[in-house]
Amino acid sequence: MAERLTRQESRRRTRGRLLAAAAELFAERGVNGASVEQIAERAGYSRGAFYGNFAGKDALVAELLNERTRREAEEVREATAGAATRDEAFDALRAWNRDRARNLDSWLALRMELLLHAIRTPELRPLLAEREQAARGALAEGVRRELDRGGAAAPADPAFLALIAHALEDGLLIQRVLDPGAVGDEAVVDAVELLLRSWTALGGAPGEEGRG
Amino acid sequence: MAERLTRQESRRRTRGRLLAAAAELFAERGVNGASVEQIAERAGYSRGAFYGNFAGKDALVAELLNERTRREAEEVREATAGAATRDEAFDALRAWNRDRARNLDSWLALRMELLLHAIRTPELRPLLAEREQAARGALAEGVRRELDRGGAAAPADPAFLALIAHALEDGLLIQRVLDPGAVGDEAVVDAVELLLRSWTALGGAPGEEGRG
DNA sequence: GTCTATAAAGAGATAGAC
DNA sequence: GTCTATCTCTTTATAGAC
């Protein structure tokens, strides 16, 4: 039985390698700037293997978008499910962002490449939109919990506050890529913490201000 | 005498048309997806005219980045200089954003294309970074003024608050492109207004801390 | 300055061998 | 499944006519 899945598994492995190589190259040179030959070569194959596993470049891009979207949605779920308290949630967020900071350029480049591709391919937009909704939804729940906990009246619809917090992620990472000196390592977490404090009206506590 | 500048002016005009056509096509199909021939054709010329005015596609991209950066910095200056009161500033901001909303897709696509290009071309990064700094700086001044006016202590360094407000622009526009139903037409202005209100309403914070 | 023609390289995709 | 060879189209860039 150990060999029963070999065919399928082998196919999956090859496809996975091609997808990973494509992700790298898309970040480096853009979707349009990376050729099928380069993708196959970096994955350790030839063009033939590529066309044996994907109908063409467009098909690979669509699948990459799909795969990454699904994985990120999972990560969001796991991250939020794991943390029970506010501090735990922020710790998880910090870890996540530290990770991302390590290769911010390529991470952001890939995200924007896929985003641009989705903008230009209307039928793919809902896919990406879904992931964003999930992220915003999880955030909204967190915000609501914090507001309840503090017993404070929300300054606005929690969904809107979550939208702000979520949008900050892309926005701050863009600023950081362009000007690393002006945007701290943990700006995203710092900003979200600051906002949450403002909204829950806990701002008076002098002890732990600003960044960590 | 009316013809004295014809040569220079003619050259400027042709270059301007090529740059405008390139901007359109870059938004539609990406920098790498738009060919020199397509650019020249949309501008109403042939490839020959293109190469007569630019050393190649890279040179055009660099100049486009330069031109747009300069223009946007000017617009920031004008917008902030014109508005004396807070309401005037927000009105200007609203008008600016309504304008942008009309063709959000192509606007955002072009911005991200140029951003990606800057990420991949290190020597161009400072150019874009400069524009962002100017925008953040203008915002920071506005925030500081508001805080002073309200007599409230800042919950953080005004520069950090300005960074948050500025980052929100990109972030919210991205969310809006992906999910127009979930992000209102004036989300950017609404969000900035909300934040400013939260920050000015927060009294007794301890001086100015925040990021370093 | 702008055109047409063309060289040279690179792209996506297919066919057939193994 | 993966390789090599090949077809066809597109691309960048140059040359020379006007």
Side-chain angles (χ1 to χ4, degrees):
Chain A
M1 287 300 226
E3 290 174 18
R4 190 53 25 91
L5 292 179
T6 296
R7 277 201 219 287
Q8 278 188 43
E9 283 297 309
S10 161
R11 185 177 174 81
R12 278 189 64 80
R13 217 186 33 172
T14 302
R15 287 169 68 89
R17 284 177 181 164
L18 286 168
L19 285 166
E24 281 183 29
L25 281 159
F26 289 168
E28 288 172 22
R29 319 162 56 95
V31 173
N32 263 307
S35 72
V36 169
E37 181 168 32
Q38 290 166 339
I39 295 170
E41 187 187 19
R42 180 162 307 190
Y45 297 95
S46 64
R47 252 166 304 169
F50 183 99
Y51 284 103
N53 284 279
F54 295 98
K57 207 165 103 171
D58 282 354
L60 175 134
V61 175
E63 184 151 331
L64 183 62
L65 197 64
N66 222 305
E67 187 217 49
R68 290 189 66 87
T69 302
R70 206 174 40 71
R71 256 227 306 263
E72 280 185 15
E74 263 175 35
E75 286 178 9
V76 167
R77 251 204 321 279
E78 284 174 16
T80 53
T85 75
R86 173 180 178 166
D87 285 346
E88 270 178 39
F90 274 112
D91 283 351
L93 196 54
R94 264 180 219 285
W96 164 271
N97 269 86
R98 242 193 312 276
D99 233 44
R100 177 167 303 171
R102 253 185 274 287
N103 27 23
L104 213 205
D105 286 19
S106 65
W107 188 91
L108 192 58
L110 180 58
R111 168 151 171 86
M112 300 213 312
E113 283 288 337
L114 294 180
L115 214 155
L116 279 169
H117 197 263
I119 289 180
R120 293 172 185 141
T121 315
E123 60 267 35
L124 289 181
R125 246 187 256 210
L127 191 68
L128 229 74
E130 210 176 321
R131 181 255 172 188
E132 302 299 320
Q133 280 168 7
R136 288 200 305 266
L139 259 171
E141 204 174 321
V143 169
R144 217 172 283 121
R145 208 165 38 212
E146 282 304 312
L147 292 179
D148 283 354
R149 213 182 54 110
D157 180 358
F160 186 55
L161 301 180
L163 169 64
I164 292 177
H166 180 53
L168 265 179
E169 198 171 320
D170 282 326
L172 284 175
L173 290 184
I174 288 174
Q175 292 300 312
R176 177 160 166 76
V177 158
L178 288 176
D179 194 352
V183 183
D185 222 33
E186 309 211 324
V188 174
V189 189
D190 291 342
V192 173
E193 261 187 324
L194 169 65
L195 293 187
L196 213 49
R197 235 188 14 245
S198 310
W199 295 334
T200 53
L202 294 177
E208 33 153 343
E209 198 77 8
R211 41 179 269 100
Chain B
M1 289 301 206
E3 289 174 17
R4 188 57 25 86
L5 292 177
T6 295
R7 276 202 219 287
Q8 279 189 42
E9 283 297 311
S10 162
R11 185 178 174 81
R12 276 188 65 81
R13 216 186 34 171
T14 302
R15 286 169 68 90
R17 284 177 182 164
L18 287 167
L19 285 166
E24 280 183 29
L25 281 159
F26 290 168
E28 287 172 21
R29 321 161 55 96
V31 173
N32 261 309
S35 72
V36 170
E37 181 168 31
Q38 290 164 340
I39 295 170
E41 188 187 18
R42 181 163 304 190
Y45 298 94
S46 66
R47 254 165 302 169
F50 183 98
Y51 285 104
N53 283 279
F54 294 98
K57 207 164 100 172
D58 283 354
L60 175 134
V61 175
E63 185 152 329
L64 182 63
L65 196 65
N66 221 303
E67 188 217 48
R68 289 190 65 87
T69 303
R70 204 173 41 71
R71 256 226 306 264
E72 281 186 14
E74 262 175 35
E75 286 178 9
V76 167
R77 251 205 323 278
E78 284 174 16
T80 54
T85 75
R86 172 180 180 166
D87 285 346
E88 269 178 40
F90 274 112
D91 282 351
L93 195 54
R94 262 178 221 285
W96 163 271
N97 268 85
R98 242 193 313 275
D99 232 44
R100 177 168 302 172
R102 254 185 274 287
N103 27 24
L104 214 205
D105 286 20
S106 65
W107 188 91
L108 191 60
L110 180 58
R111 168 153 170 86
M112 301 213 311
E113 282 290 336
L114 294 180
L115 214 156
L116 279 168
H117 197 263
I119 289 179
R120 293 171 184 142
T121 316
E123 59 267 34
L124 290 181
R125 247 188 255 209
L127 191 68
L128 229 74
E130 209 177 320
R131 182 254 170 187
E132 302 299 320
Q133 281 168 6
R136 288 199 306 266
L139 259 172
E141 203 174 321
V143 169
R144 217 173 284 119
R145 208 163 40 212
E146 281 305 311
L147 292 178
D148 282 355
R149 212 181 56 107
D157 181 356
F160 186 54
L161 301 180
L163 169 64
I164 291 177
H166 180 52
L168 266 180
E169 197 172 322
D170 282 326
L172 284 176
L173 290 184
I174 288 173
Q175 292 299 312
R176 177 160 167 75
V177 159
L178 288 176
D179 194 352
V183 184
D185 222 32
E186 309 212 324
V188 175
V189 189
D190 291 344
V192 172
E193 259 187 326
L194 169 65
L195 293 188
L196 214 48
R197 225 166 13 163
S198 315
W199 294 335
T200 52
L202 275 181
E208 49 168 84
E209 253 167 88
R211 35 157 278 95

